[in-house]
Amino acid sequence: MAETQTDAERRRVLIAEDEALIRLDLAEMLVEEGYEVVGEAGDGETAVRLAEELKPDLVILDIKMPIMDGLAAAERIAGARIAPVIILTAFSQRDLVERARAAGAMAYLVKPFQKSDLVPAVEIALSRYSEIAALESEVAGLTDRLEIRKTVERAKGALMTTYGMTEPQAFKWIQRTAMDHRMTMKEVAERILAETAGGEVAQPTA
């Protein structure tokens, strides 16, 4: 186990890949980086069942698997709000990427990939999923959720452009500011957009 994660922080991962060698390599990379592989599947149907039973922190799905493909499995897992999903694909065509996003995937990886590709994809997927969960806790309606997500995405972009923040830093700043000032994240995001448009936004503190 890598020293970067304590037992309390260790993320539980489910892998679904029909090629046993790739599945083995993937599991090995994850374990070396301090993640815990709690389940493995060779088809999408088994992946969905294991996700429902094990409630992992992350699910990695190959796009092409027997019985149920990765996109269909991603739709089921993401739709049930079980865990963030990363899609593995041998192709990087735009239509596949868009279909993966539409299915609810938080990130995707093009095979063959290295450990240096895997870890950032995992962290991006976990970060985006936690952002969405935080936003959805503010509102109940689907339309409101989508509007808030769009507003917060634009505000994150403004902070990233103006102050050189990373995407997770920008979201955490919005979230912390909302808590400190007893505002919703939507209100903070709208204020950021208004102030950056007018060139008057205050320098965020770390």
Side-chain angles (χ1 to χ4, degrees), residues 102-174:
M106 295 288 121
Y108 73 96
L109 273 172
V110 179
K111 297 186 285 188
F113 54 85
Q114 306 297 320
K115 195 190 296 182
S116 57
D117 304 314
L118 175 64
V119 175
V122 168
E123 294 307 316
I124 286 168
L126 291 168
S127 174
R128 286 179 178 165
Y129 189 76
S130 66
E131 286 182 17
I132 291 168
L135 290 173
E136 289 184 348
S137 70
E138 287 194 356
V139 289
L142 179 60
T143 304
D144 288 340
R145 287 181 194 171
L146 293 173
E147 284 305 312
I148 289 175
R149 279 176 61 181
K150 286 178 188 174
T151 304
V152 171
E153 285 296 319
R154 286 171 57 213
K156 282 196 304 183
L159 289 174
M160 290 161 68
T161 300
T162 307
Y163 299 109
M165 292 182 179
T166 63
E167 189 174 338
Q169 284 172 341
F171 181 80
K172 283 177 183 174
W173 189 85
I174 293 169

Side-chain angles (χ1 to χ4, degrees), residues 159 162-163 173 191-192 195-196 198-204:
L159 289 174
T162 307
Y163 299 109
W173 189 85
R191 182 170 294 185
I192 289 167
E195 292 178 346
T196 50
E200 299 173 353
V201 68
Q203 171 69 52

Side-chain angles (χ1 to χ4, degrees), residues 37-55:
V37 177
V38 293
E40 297 183 26
D43 64 81
E45 190 174 89
T46 303
V48 172
R49 178 175 56 77
L50 287 176
E52 291 170 344
E53 290 174 3
L54 299 170
K55 298 289 189 290

